[in-house]
Amino acid sequence: MPKETSKILEELALSPDFQTFYEENQDHMVTQSLSDMLDALIRASGLTKTVIIRRSEISESYAYQIFSGLRKPDRNRLLSLAVAMELSPDTTQQLLKCAGYPPLYVKRPFDSVILYGLHKKLTVPELNEMLLQYGQEMLV
């Protein structure tokens, strides 16, 4: 069962040494590569890469480079893929963490629009329209 990040952080602060902390928490560390996580999410979604790419509005060649691990997408393109796969907000947060990006933060206008869109299962064009309406940059 996954441990809350705050609990792991507390254990880190209280641990007598790093080795003990690491041995007790290594199962809770993020070790999966971004391309592996994307592959697992694609399989779970039941969608094809072609459908996801079309929905994401990312160029086909660039998207395949992301899926193969040749390129690391910027945060917005990764969010476009999450929207295209209709990921939940929680899964999207995990995807962002796996890529080394900050999680969506509801107090940031851009992030709050994205979170709303994830909850409501909006498409990339619908989200781009909302983002523009609120003076934010588009996803792609």
Side-chain angles (χ1 to χ4, degrees), residues 3 9-10 13 20 22 24 26 30 33 35-36 43 54 57 64 77 79 81 83 96 104 117 121 123 127-128 131 137:
K3 236 188 239 187
L9 189 57
E10 180 182 318
T20 302
Y22 188 78
E24 292 174 358
Q26 66 184 353
V30 176
S33 73
S35 62
D36 287 344
R43 283 192 306 278
R54 183 175 35 81
E57 299 198 350
Y64 278 109
R77 284 191 178 96
L79 289 168
L81 290 171
V83 170
L96 288 168
L104 294 164
K121 304 283 187 209
T123 65
L127 270 172
N128 279 337
L131 288 163
E137 65 177 294

Side-chain angles (χ1 to χ4, degrees), residues 32-93:
Q32 187 177 35
S33 73
L34 179 60
S35 62
D36 287 344
M37 184 172 192
L38 285 169
D39 282 342
L41 291 171
I42 290 166
R43 283 192 306 278
S45 75
L47 301 170
T48 65
K49 287 180 181 177
T50 304
V51 168
I52 293 167
I53 291 167
R54 183 175 35 81
R55 287 182 180 182
S56 73
E57 299 198 350
I58 297 173
S59 79
E60 188 174 339
S61 61
Y62 186 79
Y64 278 109
Q65 290 174 358
I66 293 168
F67 292 142
S68 69
L70 293 175
R71 284 196 160 198
K72 180 182 175 185
D74 62 29
R75 188 173 186 256
N76 286 7
R77 284 191 178 96
L78 191 58
L79 289 168
S80 292
L81 290 171
V83 170
M85 288 188 274
E86 298 183 351
L87 298 182
S88 70
D90 288 341
T91 304
T92 301
Q93 300 287 42

